[in-house]
Amino acid sequence: MKLLWTVFALLALPAWADEPLSGWAVYPTGKSYDELVSDTKSAVKANGLIVVTQAGPTKAAAARGITIPGNLVIGAFNNDYAVRVLETSVRAMIEAPIRFYVTENEDGTATLSYKTPSFVFAPYIYEGRDPLRDIAQELDDTFQIVAEAAVK
């Protein structure tokens, strides 16, 4: 019986792997990786945020002669949010900037995903209370607007 359950679990694994993780927003697109990276950066700027950081292994791997799918983390935030978050919880600022994640799929399309700001800041709500919860909700709305603009 144990072997049967193990086989069942292994067969079901690919279906589970396609499920988004808790607290994540995932936007598959028909866009290319380069197009989605550019559109995400533009949408960040157009919606009052700043691209604070960018990091990914793709270009560094290529410089070493290794080809991997496109993969870029784009950190977005602004000073207004930083000051407001700090007023509620100094510890919570370790989560800034909050990141968008652009990944290239096997078929040449790209996916935009991110952990929702309310999920990211959840561990600090005990300290920041309602003001931090309100900021996180504002950021949830802004990140959704950015994502929807980037993927359309």
Side-chain angles (χ1 to χ4, degrees):
M1 185 64 140
K2 185 177 180 182
L3 177 62
L4 181 61
W5 280 109
T6 302
V7 170
F8 174 73
L10 289 174
L11 289 174
L13 189 58
W16 294 338
D18 290 338
E19 293 294 318
L21 297 171
S22 176
W24 283 67
V26 179
Y27 295 81
T29 75
K31 294 183 176 190
S32 71
Y33 169 77
D34 289 334
E35 183 181 15
L36 186 55
V37 166
S38 176
D39 290 351
T40 300
K41 290 178 188 179
S42 295
V44 164
K45 185 177 179 181
N47 287 283
L49 298 175
I50 299 166
V51 173
V52 178
T53 60
Q54 298 179 67
T58 308
K59 289 182 181 178
R64 296 175 43 222
I66 302 168
T67 302
I68 61 172
N71 187 294
L72 186 67
V73 176
I74 302 168
F77 219 60
N78 69 26
N79 187 257
D80 177 61
Y81 283 118
V83 169
R84 290 172 57 206
V85 168
L86 281 168
E87 289 172 348
T88 71
S89 169
V90 171
R91 290 180 183 104
M93 268 305 290
I94 196 167
E95 304 298 345
I98 300 173
R99 298 165 307 273
F100 288 98
Y101 190 30
V102 181
T103 52
E104 185 176 21
N105 304 314
E106 289 180 15
D107 65 358
T109 63
T111 298
L112 178 64
S113 56
Y114 61 92
K115 291 181 186 178
T116 63
S118 59
F119 181 79
V120 170
F121 286 128
Y124 311 96
I125 296 299
Y126 74 93
E127 186 175 74
R129 304 200 185 281
D130 286 340
L132 182 57
R133 186 178 287 115
D134 293 344
I135 294 166
Q137 183 58 58
E138 278 181 52
L139 283 163
D140 281 350
D141 295 343
T142 300
F143 267 60
Q144 181 177 354
I145 290 166
V146 168
E148 290 175 357
V151 302
K152 74 174 184 179

